[in-house]
Amino acid sequence: MTRLLSAEVGRPSAAALEKMGLVTVGDLLRHYPREYPRRGQLTSLADLVEKEVVTVVARVASVKSRPLRDGNKRLVTAVVTDGLADLDLTFFTANAWQAASRVKQLSVGTHALFAGKVGSYRGRRQLVSPEVEELPQDLSADELAERADAIVPVYRATEKFSSLRVTKAVATVLGPLTEEDLPDPVPREVLARLGMVTALQALRGIHAPASDAQLAAARRRLRFEEAFVLQVALARRRAALAGLPASPYLPRPEGALSLFDAALPFTLTAGQRSIGEAIAGDLARTSPMNRLLQGEVGSGKTLVALRAMLQVVDAGAQAALLAPTEVLAVQHHTSLTAALGPLADTRRSDTSPGPAHGVKVTLLTGALPRAARVQALLDITTGRAGIVVGTHALLQESVDYFDLGMVVIDEQHRFGVEQRDALRARSGLPPHVLVMTATPIPRTVAMTVFGDLEVSTLRELPVGRSPIATHRVPEQWSRWVGRVWQRVREEVRAGRQAYVVTGRIGELPGDPPRAATGKPIAGTPRWWARSAVLGHEEVKPPEVGDDERRPPLAVVDVADELAEHPAMEGVVLGLLHGRMTSEDKDAVMSAFARGEVDVLVATTVVEVGVDVPNATVMVVMDADRFGISQLHQLRGRIGRGEHPGTCFLVSGTEDDAAVHRLQAVEESSDGFVLATTDLETRSEGDVLGASQSGRTSSLRLLSVVKHEAVIETARAEASALVAGDPDLGVHPVLRAELAALDEEREAYLARG
């Protein structure tokens, strides 16, 4: 409902509600209570925490009034008790009449609800000018027990507009509404089939429940509505995509794909075979494929994608692989070329794109030298390039594809719908799309966030992957940190290699020193680098609060310190970060891949796609500053060869939540288990993109972690409805609800 609140609750209340982000009647009605304690279970006076906004039930023990020096103003003070603890109340009144009225309201023995922000004065907890809601005083013992058991909705509120005032505003708006006033986006037949209450019944049950059963029914209905509206949006997008035309690409018995398979030195896993068959079937259809391929780190997703791209190339079309970073694009170009072996023929003919002339893999990034870029664009335009690998440079209008038949997007979470659609626009007919992610996605998220895609999951790891042991290393334990570097040294002496990863580049030569805030400073203390990295000196950091937490370790500082570390004597160190030139990045990565660099000190540019089988150690500095899935991704860079890997998570934090995350990574190597754990530690807004967009999540009751059954039911109902009414002509209320989703939300829903 779009009516402004000012017309319903008055301008003063509407102004206060607007500061809470509540502008319309609909906003207020969707501002659900955050908890539902029984009146007898409201915050205990003994448990009050300063600065919290609370609602308490208590009895007035004493009250008095005294004049203030400022004219006729008077101060009314009272002491209330819940039988276990006391609380002071303070009211400033404008005159003696107001003071007398307040004293009468707070007569000794009065039971009431008091709501306000907890403060303190002379060591005692107090509420200043709290909201007061009197309770009936002449109740029997049974009636008092019943009142004590009543449900009291408690809302997110502010100091100046308490939960009690929100309750009154909601009652003012909700009270006079009828079923006709509140159009329902969920069709009546769906409600009847699922045994759910109407929208009005649900709102009354969520805001003023008379019983637990009424509250449960309201929550069930409103939770389903949130899932249903999202799933209808996704179902419509699936239907729209399925209705588009696409070129079919049938497998060729004697094509590049069959030659590639025949030359493979290993056997495909069962998952790679079955998913490959499904993708091959998708590519042979006359409607575009839209599939998400997810799998564990090292599960062989790129091989599955390469086989699909070869099927397209066999038919004379092109395939493009879009990578999020230049380092990853270069890695893909190198690995695809190596995997093709003799098939990677750079002599491919302009007019004969068949496998007999090989498959040309072309790299296109923004950092290519001009001559190389011109040649790459020419190869793409003429069709000489069968497979094009690149970064966002592939999206530019200057890139004119000969016949783009398939798009592969790696690390899907780093791209939005705009990038995918931009690549679609490069082709005459919509290309087939395969998106990949090595960050495992729980089923509920796949249905909610990537609901317009068919989801395939690779769970098996290819034969030959070695186990990885993970250890959490407290930064404060200098001997443990020192042992980490000794362990790195031992692996290097054994002929193997290591990564050291930090989250920040830091100051480079010529840069002005900068503080954590980004503001230039005269000098930057480096106690943290020496304490965390060297590990052989007892250096205690200064005591700082959360707001003054030291900046994360910088890769340039860590590299400098390691160069001086006794354990690194004779060890060849390499440095890699995003501010290096393309040529320097390539040179460092190539040297590391050839074994000429023993230890690569890098930022998270090595998080995905980097494949050096000889690397067996991963050291992550400030590991608590990384997410669970990101740590799992980093860990996946090692153990890719015949030797087992060891991952060290170095962290100085003692925060319980951060330690819990690190322990989860330490105890499990199952990416799907860790993805669920990661999801449970994040808000729904983070999961659904609200934190990136700066907006509040549209989901208030639905949890993509906990409510899989609800999402499944909503998906089935939405798919059936859209199949029978694609344009929602029979369901105008639902169509209007979808129209209310702004462009940003629609783009997010479609970002698969």
Side-chain angles (χ1 to χ4, degrees), residues 151-475:
I151 299 173
V152 180
V154 177
Y155 294 86
R156 177 178 61 84
T158 65
E159 181 181 1
K160 295 184 178 180
F161 203 83
S162 69
S163 175
L164 292 179
R165 295 185 68 183
V166 176
T167 300
K168 293 175 182 176
V170 170
T172 299
V173 169
L174 188 57
L177 289 181
T178 65
E179 294 286 358
E180 290 70 26
D181 295 326
L182 200 64
D184 200 331
V186 183
R188 289 186 178 274
E189 60 271 20
V190 175
L191 294 178
R193 184 162 49 249
L194 300 178
M196 292 185 177
V197 298
T198 66
L200 182 58
Q201 291 171 327
L203 288 175
R204 286 181 172 158
I206 200 82
H207 287 292
S211 64
D212 289 332
Q214 187 182 18
L215 176 58
R219 279 175 162 167
R220 176 173 175 257
R221 152 58 210 250
L222 294 171
R223 185 176 292 133
F224 173 80
E225 180 183 321
E226 292 180 1
F228 180 71
V229 171
L230 288 178
Q231 291 301 327
V232 168
L234 291 167
R236 294 187 74 196
R237 180 168 177 83
R238 287 196 301 272
L241 291 173
L244 295 175
S247 297
Y249 302 112
L250 301 174
R252 287 176 55 181
E254 300 301 325
L257 176 56
S258 61
L259 295 175
F260 176 78
D261 285 347
L264 278 177
F266 53 82
T267 303
L268 297 174
T269 66
Q272 288 173 327
R273 287 196 303 273
S274 62
I275 293 174
E277 291 170 0
I279 292 174
D282 289 346
L283 294 174
R285 296 197 315 241
T286 56
S287 57
M289 173 179 71
N290 287 281
R291 185 174 290 271
L292 168 66
L293 174 58
Q294 63 168 338
E296 276 282 15
V297 175
S299 59
K301 296 180 298 297
T302 305
L303 178 61
V304 173
L306 174 57
R307 295 183 69 248
M309 289 189 284
L310 289 177
Q311 180 173 329
V312 172
V313 172
D314 277 343
Q318 295 169 297
L321 193 160
L322 179 62
T325 66
E326 195 173 293
V327 169
L328 184 52
V330 172
Q331 284 285 310
H332 274 312
H333 179 260
T334 302
S335 62
L336 292 180
T337 303
L340 287 171
L343 286 174
D345 191 344
T346 59
R347 298 170 299 169
R348 181 175 176 183
S349 168
D350 292 353
T351 58
S352 303
H357 298 275
V359 178
K360 182 174 178 59
V361 183
T362 294
L363 177 67
L364 181 64
T365 68
L368 279 182
R370 186 177 183 280
R373 177 178 176 80
V374 169
Q375 184 61 54
L377 291 173
L378 180 62
D379 289 344
I380 295 170
T381 300
T382 61
R384 291 193 67 231
I387 297 175
V388 185
V389 181
T391 56
H392 288 77
L394 299 183
L395 307 176
Q396 296 174 0
E397 293 185 3
S398 59
V399 182
D400 185 14
Y401 292 90
F402 175 75
D403 183 8
L404 182 59
M406 180 181 181
V407 174
V408 179
I409 300 179
D410 196 16
E411 291 310 312
Q412 163 59 30
H413 64 284
R414 301 195 181 193
F415 295 101
V417 67
E418 296 85 358
Q419 287 87 352
R420 194 171 94 187
D421 287 345
L423 269 177
R424 276 203 179 101
R426 302 277 88 83
S427 179
L429 290 178
H432 299 276
V433 176
L434 177 68
V435 296
M436 303 191 300
T437 178
T439 301
I441 302 169
R443 175 174 166 78
T444 49
V445 178
M447 287 190 295
T448 304
V449 179
F450 302 102
D452 62 332
L453 301 171
E454 295 296 327
V455 179
S456 296
T457 301
L458 277 174
R459 289 184 175 272
E460 304 165 273
L461 291 180
V463 176
R465 289 303 301 258
S466 301
I468 302 173
T470 304
H471 305 284
R472 184 171 60 90
V473 181
E475 181 181 300

Side-chain angles (χ1 to χ4, degrees), residues 362-643:
T362 294
L363 177 67
L364 181 64
T365 68
L368 279 182
R370 186 177 183 280
R373 177 178 176 80
V374 169
Q375 184 61 54
L377 291 173
L378 180 62
D379 289 344
I380 295 170
T381 300
T382 61
R384 291 193 67 231
I387 297 175
V388 185
V389 181
T391 56
H392 288 77
L394 299 183
L395 307 176
Q396 296 174 0
E397 293 185 3
S398 59
V399 182
D400 185 14
Y401 292 90
F402 175 75
D403 183 8
L404 182 59
M406 180 181 181
V407 174
V408 179
I409 300 179
D410 196 16
E411 291 310 312
Q412 163 59 30
H413 64 284
R414 301 195 181 193
F415 295 101
V417 67
E418 296 85 358
Q419 287 87 352
R420 194 171 94 187
D421 287 345
L423 269 177
R424 276 203 179 101
R426 302 277 88 83
S427 179
L429 290 178
H432 299 276
V433 176
L434 177 68
V435 296
M436 303 191 300
T437 178
T439 301
I441 302 169
R443 175 174 166 78
T444 49
V445 178
M447 287 190 295
T448 304
V449 179
F450 302 102
D452 62 332
L453 301 171
E454 295 296 327
V455 179
S456 296
T457 301
L458 277 174
R459 289 184 175 272
E460 304 165 273
L461 291 180
V463 176
R465 289 303 301 258
S466 301
I468 302 173
T470 304
H471 305 284
R472 184 171 60 90
V473 181
E475 181 181 300
Q476 299 86 340
W477 298 3
S478 58
R479 291 184 180 178
W480 283 39
V481 178
R483 176 59 184 146
V484 168
W485 305 121
Q486 292 173 9
R487 188 75 181 84
V488 171
R489 169 76 175 193
E490 291 167 4
E491 287 295 296
V492 171
R493 284 180 173 173
R496 294 182 278 277
Q497 295 164 278
Y499 297 94
V500 178
V501 174
T502 73
R504 188 169 66 97
I505 296 176
E507 299 168 18
L508 300 175
D511 287 350
R514 307 186 76 80
T517 59
K519 297 179 180 179
I521 57 175
T524 303
R526 293 179 58 180
W527 60 264
W528 56 78
R530 186 164 295 278
S531 172
V533 177
L534 294 187
H536 63 280
E537 294 185 11
E538 292 291 345
V539 181
K540 295 183 179 180
E543 295 183 1
V544 295
D546 290 341
D547 293 339
E548 299 175 326
R549 188 181 182 192
R550 65 160 172 80
L553 295 170
V555 67
V556 293
D557 289 337
V558 172
D560 287 347
E561 297 291 347
L562 282 179
E564 301 172 2
H565 198 289
M568 296 294 107
E569 184 177 355
V571 172
V572 179
L573 300 176
L575 181 65
L576 182 68
H577 56 74
R579 289 169 63 184
M580 295 169 59
T581 66
S582 178
E583 292 79 5
D584 288 344
K585 291 177 188 175
D586 292 346
V588 172
M589 282 305 308
S590 297
F592 188 61
R594 292 192 301 267
E596 298 169 3
V597 169
D598 300 318
V599 178
L600 183 62
V601 186
T603 56
T604 54
V605 294
V606 299
E607 178 185 347
V608 292
V610 177
D611 186 7
V612 179
N614 193 46
T616 56
V617 180
M618 167 66 68
V619 183
V620 183
M621 309 303 299
D622 284 329
D624 58 285
R625 299 178 190 255
F626 297 84
I628 290 176
S629 294
Q630 191 174 31
L631 290 173
H632 183 58
Q633 287 269 20
L634 289 168
R635 177 170 58 182
R637 297 308 103 206
I638 60 175
R640 304 174 76 89
E642 59 179 314
H643 302 290

Side-chain angles (χ1 to χ4, degrees), residues 669-684:
S669 59
D670 188 323
F672 290 90
V673 171
L674 292 175
T676 300
T677 303
D678 192 20
L679 194 59
E680 291 170 348
T681 65
R682 299 159 63 192
S683 70
E684 299 298 326

Side-chain angles (χ1 to χ4, degrees), residues 646-681:
T646 305
C647 178
F648 297 105
L649 306 177
V650 182
S651 168
T653 187
E654 296 180 357
D655 176 74
D656 290 341
V659 170
H660 173 72
R661 292 198 307 272
L662 297 181
Q663 288 175 335
V665 178
E666 184 179 29
E667 295 168 2
S668 177
S669 59
D670 188 323
F672 290 90
V673 171
L674 292 175
T676 300
T677 303
D678 192 20
L679 194 59
E680 291 170 348
T681 65

Side-chain angles (χ1 to χ4, degrees), residues 1-5 8 23-30 173-174 177-178 180-183 200 203 737:
M1 301 179 69
T2 58
R3 295 201 308 272
L4 295 177
L5 283 171
E8 306 290 330
V23 178
T24 67
V25 169
D27 293 338
L28 180 60
L29 293 179
R30 299 296 177 176
V173 169
L174 188 57
L177 289 181
T178 65
E180 290 70 26
D181 295 326
L182 200 64
L200 182 58
L203 288 175
E737 186 76 13

